């Protein structure tokens, strides 16, 4: 416990799933946490009853001005940032023949442009020896039908993280990515699919995982805490698969 005592952490996509579980764990470990989300009502609901030192900021990561506002509000409240966890993402389905410009723009604006712009805004305010984390995915290592644009977006983010690792080396800032396998979060309910199709898809994923099940948001939060903390002081530039072995078979 207290692995992030008095550290300032900014987490996007913090009203739900992996981001919310990580915010809770960081708070338990003594961090001051900025929870960012695009929906004020969802942020309020998620943080109702949450204890610890935190603020919420409404910010749509696909918008330049919202990324500026997010970092400004974080720094105004807590001063410089130690941990920047760019986790917000969307995974709408579209088979290759159904892809539209709107689909492409939505996925790339949120999953790629968002973290890139947030990093740009945050870097001047990040403490040396800080930590930047991305939630990536194993989807750019394996092919899953209907997720081509999503997979391409996560592949782009992985490439970006490599360059960032090098560009911030003089400041001792570590850059790492987490690549979850199937994790039980609300994201599957946001794919515009009927519930029975989501359930069938879930069973299909789970049967492929060597551990035979979905992971939990808490299992990803544990990984984020490890990578953000001094426990991972010599881990830099990696993408860590947290997927029950799915990417390895
Ligand atoms: N669950 C999995 O199986 C899985 C596997 C691999 C990778 N991932 C990645 O894990 C990350 C977190 O997803 P999750 O599974 O925890 O799903 P989730 O519960 O839906 O959380 C995603 C979060 O991102 C937010 N978000 C989406 N678009 C945004 C925008 N434009 N601006 C600000 N916030 C935005 C969502 O807000 P709303 O609540 O308003 O939608 C939500 O808070 C994503 O990057 C996803 O790609 C998930």
């Amino acid at each position: 416990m207290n692995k992030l005592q008095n550290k300032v952490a900014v987490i996007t996509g913090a009203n739900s799933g992996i981001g919310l579980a990580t915010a809770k764990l960081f708070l338990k470990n003594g961090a001051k946490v900025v929870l960012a989300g695009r929906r004020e009502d969802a942020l309020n609901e998620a943080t109702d009853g949450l204890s610890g030192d935190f603020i919420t900021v409404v910010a749509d990561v696909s918008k330049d001005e919202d990324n500026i506002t997010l970092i400004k509000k974080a720094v105004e409240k807590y001063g410089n940032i130690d941990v920047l966890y760019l986790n917000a993402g969307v995974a709408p389905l579209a088979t290759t023949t159904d892809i539209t410009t709107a689909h492409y723009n939505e996925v790339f604006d949120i999953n790629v442009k968002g973290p890139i712009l947030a990093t740009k805004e945050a870097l001047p305010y990040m403490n040396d020896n800080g930590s930047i984390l991305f939630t990536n995915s194993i989807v750019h290592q394996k092919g899953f039908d209907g997720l081509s644009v999503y997979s391409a977006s996560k592949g782009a983010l992985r490439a970006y993280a490599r360059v960032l690792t090098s560009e911030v080396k003089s400041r001792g800032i570590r850059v790492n990515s987490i690549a979850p396998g199937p994790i039980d979060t609300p994201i599957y309910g946001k794919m515009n699919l009927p519930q029975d199709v989501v359930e069938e898809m879930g069973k299909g994923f789970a049967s492929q995982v060597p551990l035979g099940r979905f992971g939990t948001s808490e299992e990803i939060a544990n990984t984020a805490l490890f990578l953000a903390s001094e426990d991972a002081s010599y881990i830099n530039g990696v993408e860590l698969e947290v997927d029950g072995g799915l990417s390895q078979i």
Side-chain angles (χ1 to χ4, degrees):
M1 282 296 167
N2 295 337
K3 285 177 184 288
L4 295 177
Q5 192 64 41
N6 289 326
K7 300 287 185 192
V8 175
V10 175
I11 304 174
T12 65
N15 62 269
S16 179
I18 292 167
L20 179 58
T22 304
K24 288 178 179 169
L25 188 62
F26 280 15
L27 284 167
K28 273 191 194 143
N29 277 269
K32 300 167 184 179
V33 180
V34 179
L35 294 96
R38 62 180 163 178
R39 292 181 297 129
E40 189 169 14
D41 55 342
L43 265 177
N44 289 341
E45 198 181 317
T47 53
D48 188 30
L50 203 60
S51 55
D53 193 353
F54 70 88
I55 57 168
T56 59
V57 179
V58 178
D60 180 335
V61 299
S62 67
K63 294 183 178 156
D64 300 29
E65 61 275 19
D66 284 20
N67 284 299
I68 294 169
T69 303
L70 168 60
I71 301 305
K72 191 167 169 274
K73 288 194 172 169
V75 174
E76 271 171 11
K77 174 70 180 172
Y78 293 124
N80 280 3
I81 299 162
D82 298 291
V83 180
L84 180 67
Y85 184 14
L86 301 170
N87 161 75
V90 289
L93 285 171
T95 52
T96 47
T97 48
D98 289 336
I99 292 165
T100 61
T101 300
H103 172 80
Y104 174 88
N105 285 344
E106 180 196 5
V107 175
F108 267 75
D109 281 357
I110 295 171
N111 294 2
V112 187
K113 191 177 83 173
I116 289 174
L117 290 179
T119 302
K120 178 189 165 193
E121 294 308 323
L123 272 178
Y125 302 103
M126 281 206 67
N127 284 323
D128 287 356
N129 305 316
S131 169
I132 300 175
L133 294 175
F134 299 102
T135 306
N136 207 299
S137 171
I138 62 162
V139 292
H140 67 89
Q141 300 180 31
K142 284 176 89 82
F144 296 103
D145 289 5
L147 287 173
S148 57
V149 175
Y150 177 65
S151 304
S153 76
K154 294 296 190 180
L157 189 61
R158 176 71 187 113
Y160 168 77
R162 283 201 179 89
V163 177
L164 182 65
T165 305
S166 179
E167 287 193 357
V168 297
K169 62 179 180 281
S170 63
R171 298 177 54 192
I173 295 173
R174 295 180 297 108
V175 178
N176 291 301
S177 304
I178 299 169
I183 307 300
D184 188 7
T185 74
I187 205 169
Y188 293 94
K190 300 172 185 173
M191 289 175 157
N192 299 325
L193 293 171
Q195 184 60 25
D196 58 328
V197 176
V198 173
E199 278 168 19
E200 276 312 301
M201 190 170 72
K203 281 183 200 153
F205 278 139
S207 69
Q208 293 175 56
V209 177
L211 289 183
R213 64 170 175 87
F214 268 54
T216 65
S217 294
E218 288 71 26
E219 287 173 311
I220 303 301
N222 288 337
T223 310
L225 176 64
F226 166 67
L227 288 173
S229 75
E230 275 300 299
D231 288 346
S233 55
Y234 201 53
I235 298 180
N236 190 18
V238 306
E239 178 167 276
L240 184 53
E241 293 92 359
V242 187
D243 64 348
L246 179 57
S247 60
Q248 306 304 317
I249 57 165

